Amino acid sequence: MCKGLASLPTCCLERAKELKARLGSVLQIPNWNLSCCKIGKNKPTLEECLRWKESFEKLLSSKYGLYAFTAFLMSEFSEENIAFYFACEEYKHIKCPAKLATKAKKIYDEFIGNEAPREINIDHETRDITKANMLAPTHSCFDMAQHKIYMLMAKDCYPRFLRSPAYRDLVCQAKPSNKARNLPQQEKKA
């Protein structure tokens, strides 16, 4: 391990490894571009890329859209927003009550608490309410903070993503789906 990495706290190195495992191929690319969205021979179609412009929800519900948006956030050094949002989504689906408190503490310590390594940008009131919710964690204890981050991404990050050269390049280089390519031929037959 190099001397620079040895000086980092262990928790930072563990989080870096976790992120690398989740988004490994994105991290190997210094500047985000079309190749970030390629997974083997699969890549988003032109129609799918254009659907992402319809709404933030459609972007997040698309595997490639989420991948491209996450890569964009990483390029802006704000990937903690999407990581927090999906950590909360995962948290809401915990069925075992005994695991709620442990997972809630982990999310709080990683994203909200003092000195959080991936601190999200929320106001003091939301931070205080979330801290109070930690006394007796429920499935909804992060709802207010999650909503604030969702709105931040929807109103700020998402429009910048759609205006980014990376998104424009992706749309320009994407190919229409087979269904869309066959449509003109079907219309000629009719």
Side-chain angles (χ1 to χ4, degrees):
M1 182 181 322
C2 74
K3 290 179 184 177
L5 290 177
S7 65
L8 290 172
T10 306
C11 66
C12 290
L13 294 173
E14 289 170 3
R15 284 192 181 78
K17 287 178 186 176
E18 177 186 321
L19 186 59
K20 183 178 180 187
R22 279 195 227 162
L23 301 166
S25 61
V26 173
L27 293 175
Q28 295 171 8
I29 302 166
N31 294 315
W32 187 85
N33 58 31
L34 174 64
S35 60
C36 290
C37 287
K38 293 181 183 175
I39 300 176
K41 293 184 179 189
N42 298 324
K43 57 186 173 184
T45 64
L46 177 60
E47 294 80 14
E48 184 174 4
C49 292
L50 294 175
R51 263 193 307 274
W52 302 343
K53 279 185 118 166
E54 293 173 14
S55 72
F56 186 52
E57 293 80 21
K58 288 189 180 182
L59 173 73
L60 292 183
S61 66
S62 160
K63 175 174 81 172
Y64 296 117
L66 177 59
Y67 193 73
F69 186 64
T70 301
F72 172 75
L73 291 177
M74 289 177 68
S75 75
E76 294 202 330
F77 304 100
S78 61
E79 65 81 31
E80 70 278 355
N81 294 323
I82 198 78
F84 172 72
Y85 177 82
F86 280 105
C88 292
E89 287 298 298
E90 186 179 302
Y91 174 78
K92 290 177 185 179
H93 296 291
I94 293 175
K95 296 196 181 343
C96 176
K99 292 182 179 178
L100 273 181
T102 305
K103 183 68 174 176
K105 181 175 175 11
K106 182 179 178 188
I107 292 171
Y108 184 86
D109 289 346
E110 185 173 350
F111 297 104
I112 298 171
N114 293 336
E115 312 274 330
R118 297 167 72 184
E119 186 176 358
I120 55 171
N121 186 11
I122 54 175
D123 58 84
H124 286 289
E125 180 184 2
T126 303
R127 191 174 305 278
D128 291 344
I129 289 170
T130 306
K131 184 177 182 178
N133 290 344
M134 294 302 295
L135 297 173
T138 64
H139 283 100
S140 61
C141 66
F142 294 108
D143 283 358
M144 181 183 248
Q146 184 185 24
H147 178 73
K148 297 276 183 174
I149 291 303
Y150 180 89
M151 295 309 294
L152 173 72
M153 290 190 299
K155 298 211 181 290
D156 181 47
C157 305
Y158 171 63
R160 280 188 286 112
F161 167 72
L162 294 177
R163 290 190 306 268
S164 72
Y167 174 72
R168 287 194 309 261
D169 290 348
L170 183 60
V171 170
C172 288
Q173 295 177 33
K175 304 217 180 319
S177 68
N178 287 336
K179 185 188 257 185
R181 276 183 267 179
N182 292 336
L183 191 59
Q185 293 172 355
Q186 292 172 354
E187 289 174 355
K188 287 179 186 176
K189 291 178 184 177

